[in-house]
Amino acid sequence: MSRYIKPAGQAKFVDRYTKKMNELLVDLNVHEGSVKYGLMGAPLSKPSISHSGASMAPGAIRQAMGSYSTYANHTDQDLRDTQIVDFGDVVMHPTDIVESQDRIYQSVKDVIQTHNPEYFILFGGDHSVSFPSIKALHETKGKVGVIQFDAHHDLRNLDDGGPTNGTPFRRSIENSVLKGEHIVQIGIRDFTNAKAYADYAVKQGVKVYTMQDVLQDRIESIIRESINYLKKRVDYIYLSVDMDVLDQAFAPGCPAIGPGGMDSQTLLTAVQEAAKHPMVKGMDIVEIDPTLDFRNMTSRVASYVLFSFLKSKDLKI
Amino acid sequence: MSRYIKPAGQAKFVDRYTKKMNELLVDLNVHEGSVKYGLMGAPLSKPSISHSGASMAPGAIRQAMGSYSTYANHTDQDLRDTQIVDFGDVVMHPTDIVESQDRIYQSVKDVIQTHNPEYFILFGGDHSVSFPSIKALHETKGKVGVIQFDAHHDLRNLDDGGPTNGTPFRRSIENSVLKGEHIVQIGIRDFTNAKAYADYAVKQGVKVYTMQDVLQDRIESIIRESINYLKKRVDYIYLSVDMDVLDQAFAPGCPAIGPGGMDSQTLLTAVQEAAKHPMVKGMDIVEIDPTLDFRNMTSRVASYVLFSFLKSKDLKI
Amino acid sequence: MSRYIKPAGQAKFVDRYTKKMNELLVDLNVHEGSVKYGLMGAPLSKPSISHSGASMAPGAIRQAMGSYSTYANHTDQDLRDTQIVDFGDVVMHPTDIVESQDRIYQSVKDVIQTHNPEYFILFGGDHSVSFPSIKALHETKGKVGVIQFDAHHDLRNLDDGGPTNGTPFRRSIENSVLKGEHIVQIGIRDFTNAKAYADYAVKQGVKVYTMQDVLQDRIESIIRESINYLKKRVDYIYLSVDMDVLDQAFAPGCPAIGPGGMDSQTLLTAVQEAAKHPMVKGMDIVEIDPTLDFRNMTSRVASYVLFSFLKSKDLKI
Amino acid sequence: MSRYIKPAGQAKFVDRYTKKMNELLVDLNVHEGSVKYGLMGAPLSKPSISHSGASMAPGAIRQAMGSYSTYANHTDQDLRDTQIVDFGDVVMHPTDIVESQDRIYQSVKDVIQTHNPEYFILFGGDHSVSFPSIKALHETKGKVGVIQFDAHHDLRNLDDGGPTNGTPFRRSIENSVLKGEHIVQIGIRDFTNAKAYADYAVKQGVKVYTMQDVLQDRIESIIRESINYLKKRVDYIYLSVDMDVLDQAFAPGCPAIGPGGMDSQTLLTAVQEAAKHPMVKGMDIVEIDPTLDFRNMTSRVASYVLFSFLKSKDLKI
Amino acid sequence: MSRYIKPAGQAKFVDRYTKKMNELLVDLNVHEGSVKYGLMGAPLSKPSISHSGASMAPGAIRQAMGSYSTYANHTDQDLRDTQIVDFGDVVMHPTDIVESQDRIYQSVKDVIQTHNPEYFILFGGDHSVSFPSIKALHETKGKVGVIQFDAHHDLRNLDDGGPTNGTPFRRSIENSVLKGEHIVQIGIRDFTNAKAYADYAVKQGVKVYTMQDVLQDRIESIIRESINYLKKRVDYIYLSVDMDVLDQAFAPGCPAIGPGGMDSQTLLTAVQEAAKHPMVKGMDIVEIDPTLDFRNMTSRVASYVLFSFLKSKDLKI
Amino acid sequence: MSRYIKPAGQAKFVDRYTKKMNELLVDLNVHEGSVKYGLMGAPLSKPSISHSGASMAPGAIRQAMGSYSTYANHTDQDLRDTQIVDFGDVVMHPTDIVESQDRIYQSVKDVIQTHNPEYFILFGGDHSVSFPSIKALHETKGKVGVIQFDAHHDLRNLDDGGPTNGTPFRRSIENSVLKGEHIVQIGIRDFTNAKAYADYAVKQGVKVYTMQDVLQDRIESIIRESINYLKKRVDYIYLSVDMDVLDQAFAPGCPAIGPGGMDSQTLLTAVQEAAKHPMVKGMDIVEIDPTLDFRNMTSRVASYVLFSFLKSKDLKI
Ligand SMILES: [Ca+2]
Ligand SMILES: [Ca+2]
Ligand SMILES: [Ca+2]
Ligand SMILES: [Ca+2]
Ligand SMILES: [Ca+2]
Ligand SMILES: [Ca+2]
Ligand SMILES: [Ca+2]
Ligand SMILES: [Ca+2]
Ligand SMILES: [Ca+2]
Ligand SMILES: [Ca+2]
Ligand SMILES: [Ca+2]
Ligand SMILES: [Ca+2]
């Protein structure tokens, strides 16, 4: 073809030295050897209690990745040779929500069994996607422990509304996919939960760090404490990052925004610190509604959550 | 009626354990016994110097309350049995601004005299609503002292434009409703005031903490110092919370936004600290224009300002 | 209470002669005698193929009604004594979509059986709400005929995605709730349907007026022709008004917008013309997503769709 | 100064042949000889019943004028040598609404008496500005007749809310500034008025063309009929153009939008037709809230309303 | 891969019978045989006189195509077997505007010479892209005639600002790519041009239909007249569709919006009528700035402009 | 003229004691004596790699200045007698980008040579304006050193895309306008640069403080260190403030937003600290796109950047 023509949507100026983070995403067939990083999108938000467009987040986060380069200045790390196999997105059923969640479970399990990525990343969707994801990992990888960043417990009862985005960890416990004592919740905020669920957390042995704890202690200490707590109890540590753990000023695009949450830097430091540990091998990033966001800001933070994970894993090579 | 039908606008899913903060608002006739918390809306913003839709804030803050639950995790406080008598909103006159302010005065006075709420909360409106509110309290409750959170002095002269939102504390002083030395201003910012009004503050003995003071000292100390200063001088301490004391990143919906202000957490801590003292019995929250806001963020912070007040009062039981 | 205080949200200025259309909405217990007009909201949009916030439309249309007065100048009709019993909204299940649709069916049926409104109005929601509504009417009122205003056939197969918003009339036919020849579709647009469904319409005997037909003929003629066609075949004529029959310039808030549709005046004339006939007794208004709209414009047109219906019925007294 | 520098805000590229409509606006001291066109801004919207930013419209319309050129292709008219003396804007009082309206009256009267522009244009503001404007003209120019383009009568009683934007023509009648039979209202819409005020219009002899009349007749005929009706009764004809006479699709920035109004072309034709008559010498353009508008669209139509006026007056030279 | 996973961004629900218009776009290597339809994107808007994001339009129009199906109901045409070879987008130089325009010329010429599509479509970009496109066609296809839909002449002098979006037809004439008498301009509006350029049009023999002409005559007649006029003079007729020929209510996303333009239906009819003639073989669609648009509305109309072209060409098979 | 009329756009209420910061801006001919502060606007953003409306920033920042008063409370400084000569904006060429940059160079040089302002401020525009500005200062004021606040190095090669906004410091080095060791970069962020350019910075001796450095040290120390480093090496210190050094929560209107940047207070403190040194005499503020911003927030911070500079210079009197 003519020298100046590129495929539709790809005709952007790039200089010869710059590689964008979204270019690390490769198709499975392009990839060679074993899969280090595997990524999947779960565009599901119909389970949400309130109106949510989180189904559009997998696309929005991938797009945000395209705004950033592969190089981390402070540590002089260039990720340009990193490959993240992008398995794609799970097709959702338009009117059967439980079926959709089951498709996520099936797809994660298939991918783990077939390609066995060393690290697995899931872009939600609302928080209900964590249950099928963790269930698949539980069945393939052994005992899973979770560090959940969230303003909410997500331990609501399932009888009243079925498997909504308020239930993934309750559902995990009730289905023996997780034990309560294998869950660490960080960033739980006042006036975002019912007492009944805080009580349930206590009863089930869920370890909880409130936002007040986060403000009083260094996040690195909390993370290290959490890792130390989990590492003797489980085989595989999974980070479940609900972006609404952030203050609304830093994550304006979450459905359940509010004041008094973390700033972006604290969350990024937390994920980076956690990812330093070799047992931390899975992560989901959930609860971004790009239709509510301002300039894709929340998806931009989400992309940095992934970059923070990658930076620590890269150092481990 | 059919089992699945609820009145218009109330057909939202709720699980059986969750109670929302707006459910604490009750009509006077529902309430029994003496009134602990009384709330009124003053939907007035025509006095504002610049264009303002703060008249819509009482509704926006009440709506924001509906996004949050009654339970405070860190201190394990459940406010579900708290009742806030919602007296409703004052009807404003469409073309007579002074009459509107007088109606606020009359309404606050009526409510205090008739129902005598232990704690009184006013949702503005612009800051001009503080004068009628404080005047009514001054006439019914004794000597009032004010802790004003604000980027601005609000001590402009009344000759040039009448009782605008830039004048409530000048008007209070000139009408002997407040003495200058009974006012503490916290968060005053550079480039938001004329020197003449800073000089007037000094002359009248108004106690001023600038934002630089706030950044250099712990907010809890400033509040305790302010309370100690006021408690020997007055009978009743009133918090006047102009949301523009916050940095524009945290309160994007105030008419007079700017950089260099407080973050949300600092303001919430301040109000919580102040409300610990039994003499702190009244509060207004003003200067939110929901038509300018992003996702009702500023009203969400405002609702947490109220929750912080309630949390401290609840602990005192 | 104090003379200037009104309940929260009701403190708006009104002059003594003006009554707003939303004031016609009354609770069942306020109403006396037989119910002439009955209204219900079906806040359901999870069945939609594309992301939709149509669940917020019942509230948005009621709110839009509050912007308009009861008086129609041209015909000198004052509807101020009209009462519309507002039965309220159906509570939706957060994760079971078919259950939600069934609740609509149950609720419509209950309301018809218990209160037997002479005219029944349903505010969707997405177009999937028409099936349960028509099914309930079919079971209580006899053979139903439908005049559907729509850019789309809504005759998609149910196997691929279940009862989405693209299927209500297919589902009605397949469930023997409607016969194909009892459906008249007006405003069908190019490039908004698959040929398979146009063919299905032909095969089932659905009567179709494309937008080109609408542009070439007077809408009053098309409506009269449609009524004449249906009135000998059915017992009860139902208008199903999918707002996307309008051009995107006139209905910016529909999920499936596009150019080349009707202008508002044509739709209002059509509904007014149809409602002149005594057999036209039911109507739904669907496919408005207030989160996408500009200044609630589409819900404002929807409120006028209702007013047009009322105007004709009022003339018949 | 350096050859490439222009005063702040004026450094836009222009080609040598293009002159923009805003360049026709000149200061009084620049102008020579008698004033043909005089323009004034009345940035007042605090009298509005509902929240309005119409005070920003004078600036928005002037800015919109900067988007258009001086040449009218179809009639080959170039207005580049036309001068419109821009007297500026009236300074409003921030808290005394009646005083603000009086200042408009004083300012219009001063300008008429001192400079006697042949044609006088007023940019509102809300519709309450018409009373002081017409009063000033009535006192200086003789008996005034008005052709009002509006969805609303604006004949509300003054007792309930004072001189709001719903009252200018009632106030004019009650103050003997206008007689009812000297008012022609065009575009009155269903469900935008109370019956009491339609009755008042009839009683006072106001001539009314509803939107249905406009749809059924050619606008040129209605205008000619209106001019013929007024020209024998009054000395001076004034057009009062409330932009909400337009359908919401064409004037999205009016506070009181709704469906079923005029399209832009009809209004422009109407004004052009009216301005052909030599007795049509004054005009106001009101009820644009630029804070609600989309891309200043409504102010753009407003600027064309002025251009249509100018085109006809220019032809008369 | 797992059965429910699709490549990123493609996991949308589709039913088995529905094909979307964007699926007609195929890569060159997928296509077999001679190329009937060829499409190229020219993402260039830096030449624009005013700020423009028209460089984003090629993507926005392609995306809009994904909202529509292949079937045209009224004429029972299914375009599902049509293939449009999408050559992709031209890569623009970030700081050399003339170079960017030259790359468009080179790319169009290469594509015409190498693949010789029977019909050639270019998505701008601002209107400056028409010159390089027409120049390439002029050099490969013979004498080109243009039907330009536009509010503006686009005949500005090139000395003052170089090859801006206000100059493509002047530049074509001055470079002997077009003769003035081979240009027909339809929809030229008052107050959007300088007299000098209207005079230039007359002098060069450009045939002009103003908006007033369009309102007074049927668009089909104007198109037939234009075709008849051009067909004896040129070898190849090219439609240049500047979307700002539409009224701002129908094309809110053009940089130069205004009232008094065409409605969408008129433009679609015009393009459909023109495309019936076999000599009409090329088309560009320009001046859409997706960053200014509302819900991609203007790109949606643009996609229908293409569909109208295709419909007529399809009938000719 | 009438006593209540002011020139168009100036009819705002002001009280007698308040002076706004934009009133400090004066025309050259108004000013007397030598010029202390000189300001110029460079409305250029066509060189930007990604779409940018930074050309509108000079107007937006000047407008933001109008929201703030002349008085700094904490230090009791009133700047009301300060004059800033506003030289105006440079007229850009619409299609020749290099010419536009050269016009900035010529204009800065002319202004420096003719009026020799003691302090020179440039409002961009994108960052490409820094090269012509610094070049002019280099030629008139001697050896220039730069403290650049930026997330990015701006050291991209010039071969690939010419003088874009990613190249100003590379271009300065390659043209011997700056030496690498005369540049200090503060706030460089991970994943915003290519490794090649970080390496180039090292090779050229550019001094770099990453955001991690900023988070770990006090900003005052970093600034003092930077000043001490530069003051022995150069004659004139210039601050180049790319607003994207701020976190996206604080500068939502920069084209290249992202998480993990400075908060506003840190930047303001840095500029204030730097401006204390007498060698700091020039500053530009760049990379604000007002079309992307929320409520002009980023321009508001920019105005405070200027105020911080002025505050320190004022203290030095
Ligand atoms: Ca969660
Ligand atoms: Ca959460
Ligand atoms: Ca205040
Ligand atoms: Ca304030
Ligand atoms: Ca439908
Ligand atoms: Ca439809
Ligand atoms: Ca009016
Ligand atoms: Ca009106
Ligand atoms: Ca053009
Ligand atoms: Ca054009
Ligand atoms: Ca930079
Ligand atoms: Ca930068």
Side-chain angles (χ1 to χ4, degrees), chain A residues 185-247:
Chain A
Q185 300 186 321
I186 300 176
I188 298 297
R189 221 177 295 169
D190 283 356
F191 304 112
T192 57
N193 299 284
K195 176 170 170 47
Y197 303 129
D199 291 348
Y200 179 87
V202 170
K203 213 179 79 191
Q204 294 292 329
V206 175
K207 192 173 181 62
V208 174
Y209 294 92
T210 66
M211 264 313 295
Q212 285 92 335
D213 295 328
V214 171
L215 291 170
Q216 282 156 24
D217 207 349
R218 293 189 66 240
I219 191 67
E220 291 93 332
S221 312
I222 292 174
I223 294 299
R224 281 195 290 264
E225 203 170 80
S226 303
I227 296 278
N228 286 335
Y229 168 84
L230 285 177
K231 73 181 180 192
K232 356 170 213 197
R233 289 175 170 82
V234 300
D235 305 313
Y236 183 105
I237 300 179
Y238 183 90
L239 309 181
S240 187
V241 184
D242 181 335
M243 297 297 292
D244 69 20
V245 76
L246 294 175
D247 190 281

Side-chain angles (χ1 to χ4, degrees), chain D residues 11 27 29 66-67 75-77 87-88 93 107 123 135 138 147 155 177 196 202 231 239 260 275 300 308:
Chain D
D27 280 348
N29 54 346
S67 299
T75 48
D76 189 27
Q77 288 175 272
F87 293 110
H93 192 284
S107 302
F123 288 167
K135 185 181 167 200
H138 162 80
I147 299 178
L155 295 166
V177 164
V202 170
K231 73 181 179 193
L239 309 181
R300 290 170 192 261
S308 297

Side-chain angles (χ1 to χ4, degrees), chain A residues 66-259:
Chain A
S67 298
Y68 302 107
S69 311
T70 57
Y71 181 68
N73 282 65
H74 194 72
T75 48
D76 188 27
Q77 287 176 273
D78 197 346
L79 306 181
R80 68 166 51 227
D81 297 325
T82 300
Q83 289 193 325
I84 303 171
V85 174
D86 190 344
F87 294 111
D89 294 330
V90 185
V91 181
M92 298 290 96
H93 192 284
T95 57
D96 188 339
I97 284 173
V98 172
E99 161 71 15
S100 290
Q101 292 170 331
D102 200 53
R103 288 182 183 181
I104 296 169
Y105 157 71
Q106 290 289 353
S107 301
V108 176
K109 195 162 177 181
D110 283 1
V111 154
I112 300 293
Q113 287 176 333
T114 319
H115 308 289
N116 196 25
E118 186 175 348
Y119 303 113
F120 176 72
I121 312 292
L122 185 74
F123 287 167
D126 66 28
H127 219 150
S128 80
V129 308
S130 295
F131 171 73
S133 172
I134 295 168
K135 185 180 168 200
L137 291 166
H138 161 81
E139 293 179 5
T140 53
K141 292 289 189 178
K143 215 181 293 179
V144 176
V146 172
I147 299 178
Q148 173 193 352
F149 296 91
D150 207 332
H152 310 87
H153 286 304
D154 290 357
L155 295 167
R156 290 174 186 250
N157 80 83
L158 283 135
D159 297 333
D160 290 346
T164 67
N165 64 334
T167 64
F169 301 100
R170 177 72 163 260
R171 200 179 176 197
S172 296
I173 292 170
E174 292 188 355
N175 286 276
S176 304
V177 163
L178 289 175
K179 286 193 179 173
E181 63 253 41
H182 298 165
I183 302 172
V184 180
Q185 300 186 321
I186 300 176
I188 298 297
R189 221 177 295 169
D190 283 356
F191 304 112
T192 57
N193 299 284
K195 176 170 170 47
Y197 303 129
D199 291 348
Y200 179 87
V202 170
K203 213 179 79 191
Q204 294 292 329
V206 175
K207 192 173 181 62
V208 174
Y209 294 92
T210 66
M211 264 313 295
Q212 285 92 335
D213 295 328
V214 171
L215 291 170
Q216 282 156 24
D217 207 349
R218 293 189 66 240
I219 191 67
E220 291 93 332
S221 312
I222 292 174
I223 294 299
R224 281 195 290 264
E225 203 170 80
S226 303
I227 296 278
N228 286 335
Y229 168 84
L230 285 177
K231 73 181 180 192
K232 356 170 213 197
R233 289 175 170 82
V234 300
D235 305 313
Y236 183 105
I237 300 179
Y238 183 90
L239 309 181
S240 187
V241 184
D242 181 335
M243 297 297 292
D244 69 20
V245 76
L246 294 175
D247 190 281
Q248 61 189 1
F250 294 93
C254 292
I257 55 171

Side-chain angles (χ1 to χ4, degrees), chain A residues 5-25:
Chain A
I5 304 183
K6 287 203 181 163
Q10 298 176 27
K12 294 234 170 101
F13 168 76
V14 279
D15 75 44
R16 71 192 75 172
Y17 300 110
T18 302
K19 189 169 182 179
K20 295 296 189 182
M21 287 302 283
N22 65 337
E23 296 179 64
L24 305 189
L25 301 177

Side-chain angles (χ1 to χ4, degrees), chain E residues 150-152 242 244:
Chain E
D150 207 331
H152 309 87
D242 181 334
D244 69 20

